[in-house]
Amino acid sequence: MTRAEFIAVVAPVAVKVRVDGGPLFPSVSIAQMVLETGGKLNSWNNLVGYKVGDGARTPYWDGKAVSKKTWEVYEGRVETPTADFRAYASIEHCLKDQALLFFRLQRYKRVIDAKTPKEQAEMLQACGYATDPNYASKLWDIIRRDQLDKHDREAEKAVEALRELTEQVAKLRKEVETLQKRSNMDIPPWAKNAVEAAVRAKLIDTPDGGSFDFYRLVTILHRTGLIPEAE
């Protein structure tokens, strides 16, 4: 697997975790995975060097682990001890478990609060995530070399799109509630499927007693896919 192929696999996951509320810029997350693994995937899906630590289970880690040799720097000395690393069902679980670590421990507050990828890389080192004294500079070199900042922009656009969609749904919900209160009539046959889908999606609470405009709007929303069918 080439470096480019590795990045193509992990970048979408890093972007998704960021959009879901993760603290790391995708560029930093991707660079960290490249640095920690040498750009190679592994079967236990731990690409960030996350050790077992206190062993507390999380929603993303069920206790499985693998023992591997690692590379550490202690008081200027390079050592290669064996350590236990968390094993995951997926790369996404790995990154989300790492995010929980950052949110849980006060020592990583500076990582979360970092305003730029470069600052965040520096804070990862300053907060003791790794023992390598050159950890931050190595991350930044990878970010620049592989132009990983484009994935930060991708995540920003996705977050903004999600915010706009949430606002649109809230606006539509208010419009539906307003129309529903205007008049009372039985559900027209042509609107029945749409109304039932709206109830399942919790867009409306009481399907009966709406107006013609209300049922027409619900039907349009359903046909355009804004009211999803139940899975």
Side-chain angles (χ1 to χ4, degrees):
M1 171 175 282
T2 66
R3 186 185 184 104
E5 290 171 338
F6 177 86
I7 292 174
V9 170
V10 303
V13 186
V15 169
K16 182 180 185 301
V17 172
R18 178 66 167 180
V19 173
D20 288 345
L24 292 190
F25 287 97
S27 61
V28 175
S29 182
I30 297 165
Q32 188 178 56
M33 288 187 276
V34 171
L35 180 58
E36 292 284 351
T37 67
K40 303 298 180 184
L41 299 175
N42 55 54
S43 60
W44 55 97
N45 293 311
N46 186 338
L47 308 184
V48 297
Y50 190 177
K51 297 184 179 69
V52 168
D54 61 11
R57 307 298 195 269
T58 75
Y60 306 109
W61 182 61
D62 61 5
K64 293 185 176 66
V66 296
S67 294
K68 294 290 178 179
K69 278 203 168 186
T70 184
W71 187 89
E72 307 286 356
V73 179
Y74 299 116
E75 298 181 351
R77 302 188 314 275
V78 175
E79 298 184 12
T80 57
T82 298
D84 294 330
F85 293 88
R86 299 186 178 209
Y88 297 99
S90 68
I91 298 172
E92 182 177 348
H93 279 193
C94 172
L95 298 189
K96 288 193 170 180
D97 194 36
Q98 183 194 46
L100 289 181
L101 172 72
F102 293 146
F103 286 127
R104 179 169 57 88
L105 298 184
Q106 180 64 26
R107 67 187 257 204
Y108 289 115
K109 186 177 187 304
R110 288 180 292 170
V111 172
I112 297 171
D113 293 342
K115 304 302 182 186
T116 66
K118 190 173 189 297
E119 180 187 358
Q120 193 166 70
E122 293 169 350
M123 290 304 101
L124 278 170
Q125 180 176 326
C127 293
Y129 187 85
T131 59
D132 184 352
N134 298 312
Y135 198 73
S137 61
K138 289 178 180 178
L139 290 177
W140 185 238
D141 286 344
I142 294 170
I143 291 172
R144 289 188 300 174
R145 171 184 168 181
D146 293 287
Q147 300 179 329
L148 299 180
D149 58 316
K150 63 185 177 183
H151 300 293
D152 297 335
R153 294 191 293 273
E154 178 185 353
E156 290 172 2
K157 290 180 180 178
V159 169
E160 181 59 29
L162 183 61
R163 184 182 299 112
E164 291 177 357
L165 179 60
T166 300
E167 292 174 354
Q168 290 175 5
V169 170
K171 183 178 179 181
L172 288 171
R173 187 185 298 274
K174 290 182 179 179
E175 292 180 4
V176 167
E177 291 173 352
T178 299
L179 288 172
Q180 187 177 14
K181 294 174 182 177
R182 284 185 180 173
S183 63
N184 296 314
M185 63 177 288
D186 294 333
I187 303 174
W190 48 265
K192 184 176 180 181
N193 290 339
V195 171
E196 290 176 349
V199 171
R200 289 193 297 269
K202 301 187 185 302
L203 183 61
I204 59 177
D205 297 323
T206 55
D208 296 321
S211 67
F212 177 85
D213 287 339
F214 163 73
Y215 291 122
R216 180 173 178 273
L217 175 61
V218 172
T219 301
I220 291 173
L221 294 178
H222 182 244
R223 290 177 179 176
T224 56
L226 287 175
I227 300 177
E229 294 288 353
E231 295 183 357

